[in-house]
Structure formats: structure tokens, C-alpha cells
Amino acid sequence: MPAPQCASCHQARAALRRPRSGLALCGACFCAAFEAEVLHTVVAGRLLPPGAVVAVGASGGKDSTVLGHVLRALAPRLGVSLRLVAVDEGIGGYRDAALAAVRHQAELWELPLTVVAYADLFGGWTMDAVARSAAGSGRSRACCTFCGVLRRRALEEGARRVGATHIVTGHNADDMAETVLMNFLRGDTGRLARGGLLGSPGEGGALPRCRPLQLASQKEVVLYAHFRRLRYFSEECVYAPEAFRGHARALLKLLEAARPSAVLDLVHSAERLALSPAARPPPPAACSRCGALASRALCQACALLDGLNRGRPRLAIGKGRRGMDEGAARARGALPGGGDAEAPPPGGLDTGVPPSGDQDTDAPPPGELDAGAPSSGGLDTGAPPSGDPDIAAPPPGELDAGAPSSGGLDTSAPPSGDPDTAAPPPGRLDTDAPPSGDQDREAPSL
Ligand code: SF4
């Protein structure tokens, strides 16, 4: 059966059926609708005021690639200027290749790029060194937790270096839904209290952050990259398979199969979640070492580095945080032993054991820069990764998998003049970017 006409332009053949609305659209109309929705998210949420200097967290992955491409197109209408900021975690065999993808994008988009490295910012600690230390303490599964905390700090530092007034990251709706699930599964009311808002306003001197793709599904992000022929890096980070996020992702897939709206329902649930006063974490104060926002004497990054430097990387990221939440509850009389909201959990910083498994809630999105669900394959050629169940092509003649063309559906080429079409030929992103190592998507944080 031939594909129907596009429901928007009524001229081209439809190439996909949008998962959310069910509308059959051609590639060009889908991309235009996607961009309009991101614009609406930014404008309605007042995320980026005119004149803002925006640091785009760039990982080379699909989410930050799509975010950079869309914001570059919208920047004149929004009246903002863009800077790319990439974080080099120091992950051998992986990040170098991903950074090559970011450099390629910066050149293509003619945007300034700044790379900040863990090793420079954190006293020589690379993620590989952190992993070795964590493995020695039996905490090897917590790599993404450590990485997420450090990346958040690194991105803030990089954004300040380029004079940014705002930070944007590429978290999509699936990333956020996974994070909501993880926080529920861990009983992490502190993070749930921070909620699923589109961003944070920049408390305590931190730069405001937002996630313009937060309402876009992962499927549509991939489809947008496909139709715009964006090239991105899609290998998995070597530490990703151990992350607790993988369990949340698997659970979400099951939920989505039974209830297609589960992803956005979870995101909206987090936005509207109201915690009882007893469950709310205490207002953050300044870290006694670096001045960043902290729930205790030291912020997460300083506490983590403190533990690493002492050879005790089991830090107050998990149970410690929960301890604080419980401390706050006690202070409000909801739990026995009230009045000790300022007291650290028993044993001080080093007793922190994540409530369950590892903790990567601060690692975003796949990339706070993006660390979520890795796609299969190596350097992406713009086509959805084969074997990705989310974008599996529908059977011939069927249109509704939200998949790019197959079986006679539109194979719309990007509009001419799109700078991204100047990308290298399929199968090659950048000669500097060998498809070696693994790739990640950073775990988003709420
Ligand atoms: Fe860091 Fe992402 Fe790798 Fe985890 S998967 S260690 S968050 S880069």
C-alpha cells in the first residue's frame, strides 16, 4: 500500500507517523514541526531570554547534535548567541573519538568550541583513574555517578570560561522519564523534589540550565537527525553497561510497549509532583570549599574528590543524600530523632552508599552532555542506527512505527542549503574520529 500524503503540506508522501500525534508527515514537515515545538518550549518556558549567551553542552552524541543544530537555526529568532562546550572526561578509547565529532560540528556550524578536561579541573583525576579507584573499593558500578557529578561541575566551569549566561543540555523526554523512574526506584526524594521542570533557574550563583528537548521523544530526536542528515557519534561508553540507568531504560521500554504515552506521562508527573513538607530536602547552602550549592558542608563534587584523594571513593552521593533527606524529615518531626537536619549521616561523608546499585542521576544526559542510551553502531551516518528497536522500520507498506522511510516511504533529503548537508559522506564523520572505543550518553539529572 503506498504511503499516504503528508498531512501538513499535502504534496509529498508521508515518511513517518508521529508517535505522539499520529500525524503522517513528510520529512521536511516533520523537521519543521519539531523545530517549532522546540521554539515553543523555549519561548513558553522563558528558558532563554534575548541577549543570552548560551553554552550548549556538546558531547558529539545524537541529542546534543540535534540540540545544537536546532538552536543554531532558532538563534536569530530567539536573539541568543551560542557557544559549544565539551567535556573531556578522560575515558580512553571513547571520548577522543566523540570529541572529534564535536570539533567537526563546531567547524561545520561555525561556532566557538571550548573543551574542558577533568584532568585539568580536578587535580589530575580522569574518569579512567576514578574508575580504577572505584574498582579497588568495590564501587566500580558507580562510575556514572561519579562522572555525572564531575561533569556537571565541568560544564559549569566551561560555560563560565566562555562568558555564558545560560547552559543548555540535550536531555530528551526518554532521558528525563528514566531519571524520574530511577529516583522513584531509589526513593530519592531530594532529586524528585527538584522535579522535572524544564530547567533550573540558577540558584546560589550557578548558571541557569535548561533542556529544550525535554518534551521531545528519543524516537523523534533520532528521526530529526535522520531527516536532517546530521552526523553524530553513537558508540557506547565503556562504563555505561554497569549503570543503573540501564535497568530504568529497560523498564521504561516495557511500560511504553503497554502504554505509548508512558514517557511523557512520567515527565509531566515529575513536573507536577508535590512532596509533603516533611519529604522536601533542606534549602541548599554554599559548599565550604568551593562555594557551589551544597546540601551539606561539602558539595557533591568536592566530597567526591575529597574521598578519591583519600583513597576512599565511597562517598555521600547515595545514602548520604538520602540521609540528608531523612535528616530534614527528622528536623520537621516526621521521623524519629528530629532536630539534626544539619548533621551528616552516621559515619560522615564516607558512609554514603547509594540506596541501590550505582547512581548516575547527575550524569546527563548522555550528555549532560548526553549519557543515556547509547545507540548502536559507530559514527552515525545520519540514518537511524540499525537494530534500534525504537526506530525499526515498519513492514513494507506500513507507516506507523515512527520510522524513517522504508517500503516506499519518503526518503526526503534535507533542504538544500542546510549546512549540515555538507557533512562527510555516509559512513564517515570525520577522519579524525576513528570509530574506536565505546560511546555513552550521559545520564541526565533532575
Ligand atoms: Fe560518564 Fe556517560 Fe561514561 Fe557514565 S556512560 S562514565 S556518565 S561518559
Side-chain angles (χ1 to χ4, degrees):
M1 189 173 74
Q5 275 191 335
C6 171
S8 179
C9 68
H10 304 290
Q11 292 175 349
R13 288 286 174 198
L16 66 124
R17 191 177 295 283
R18 296 196 74 181
R20 200 188 311 178
S21 65
L23 272 184
L25 296 177
C26 67
C29 289
F30 163 73
C31 289
F34 185 95
E35 290 163 7
E37 287 163 7
V38 175
L39 178 64
H40 179 264
T41 299
V42 172
V43 171
R46 298 180 183 174
L47 303 182
L48 301 173
V53 178
V54 181
V56 181
S59 69
K62 71 177 186 307
D63 298 291
S64 67
T65 298
V66 167
L67 178 65
H69 180 89
V70 172
L71 284 185
R72 183 171 173 274
L74 299 179
R77 293 175 68 181
L78 292 169
V80 303
S81 55
L82 306 179
R83 313 277 187 272
L84 298 183
V85 176
V87 176
D88 181 358
E89 300 93 340
I91 301 174
Y94 158 65
R95 189 46 92 190
D96 287 349
L99 286 174
V102 177
R103 290 193 182 95
H104 170 80
Q105 291 164 352
E107 198 177 314
L108 197 63
W109 296 338
E110 299 178 324
L111 291 176
L113 167 66
T114 296
V115 180
V116 287
Y118 281 10
D120 298 334
L121 295 177
F122 305 127
W125 282 101
T126 62
M127 201 47 224
D128 284 338
V130 171
R132 283 192 294 274
S133 177
S137 70
R139 299 293 304 134
S140 59
R141 294 183 63 228
C143 283
C144 290
T145 303
F146 299 152
C147 186
V149 171
L150 297 180
R151 185 190 303 104
R152 188 174 181 84
R153 173 63 55 84
L155 187 56
E156 178 87 16
E157 176 61 25
R160 289 186 185 284
R161 287 184 186 178
V162 301
T165 59
H166 291 71
I167 296 173
V168 296
T169 58
H171 302 95
N172 61 45
D174 293 61
D175 298 327
M176 302 313 297
E178 289 164 10
T179 301
V180 172
L181 265 183
M182 286 197 301
N183 290 337
F184 270 112
L185 293 171
R186 292 168 173 154
D188 192 336
T189 55
R191 285 192 171 91
L192 284 170
R194 282 193 267 162
L197 300 176
L198 288 162
S200 57
E203 291 176 295
L207 292 173
R209 288 179 182 238
C210 62
R211 300 176 284 259
L213 302 184
Q214 184 173 319
L215 301 180
S217 72
Q218 183 165 280
K219 289 174 186 171
E220 295 208 338
V221 169
V222 173
L223 285 168
Y224 182 87
H226 169 72
F227 287 116
R228 287 291 190 225
R229 294 190 178 176
L230 305 182
R231 310 306 170 92
Y232 57 83
F233 186 76
S234 57
E235 289 191 24
E236 183 180 45
C237 171
V238 292
Y239 303 117
E242 294 290 323
F244 182 57
R245 178 168 294 273
H247 299 290
R249 182 171 303 133
L251 178 55
L252 190 61
K253 294 297 177 202
L254 287 174
L255 292 172
E256 209 181 1
R259 181 182 172 85
S261 64
V263 167
L264 277 178
D265 287 347
L266 268 168
V267 173
H268 291 314
S269 295
E271 288 170 358
R272 295 168 191 151
L273 188 70
L275 293 178
S276 75
R280 286 182 204 137
C287 171
S288 60
R289 186 168 297 169
C290 73
L293 278 185
S295 299
R296 281 178 286 179
L298 292 181
C299 68
Q300 283 192 340
C302 287
L304 191 153
L305 290 166
D306 195 50
L308 287 168
N309 289 328
R310 289 158 48 202
R312 302 174 68 186
R314 294 179 61 170
L315 275 179
I317 294 173
K319 191 179 255 179
R321 170 177 290 276
R322 188 169 60 175
M324 272 309 293
D325 296 342
E326 290 170 357
R330 284 191 197 97
R332 295 178 176 100
L335 292 174
D340 64 344
E342 296 306 313
L349 290 175
D350 288 314
T351 61
V353 177
S356 69
D358 50 82
Q359 293 248 352
D360 57 349
T361 52
D362 271 321
E368 190 133 33
L369 298 178
D370 304 294
S375 306
S376 61
L379 290 177
D380 202 283
T381 59
S386 61
D388 184 337
D390 285 334
I391 53 168
E398 193 175 312
L399 188 64
D400 103 277
S405 57
S406 167
L409 297 179
D410 183 7
T411 55
S412 321
S416 60
D418 184 330
D420 286 323
T421 60
R428 183 175 69 85
L429 172 60
D430 187 316
T431 52
D432 291 329
S436 60
D438 289 314
Q439 149 82 330
D440 89 325
R441 297 177 352 120
E442 291 102 22
S445 64
L446 284 178

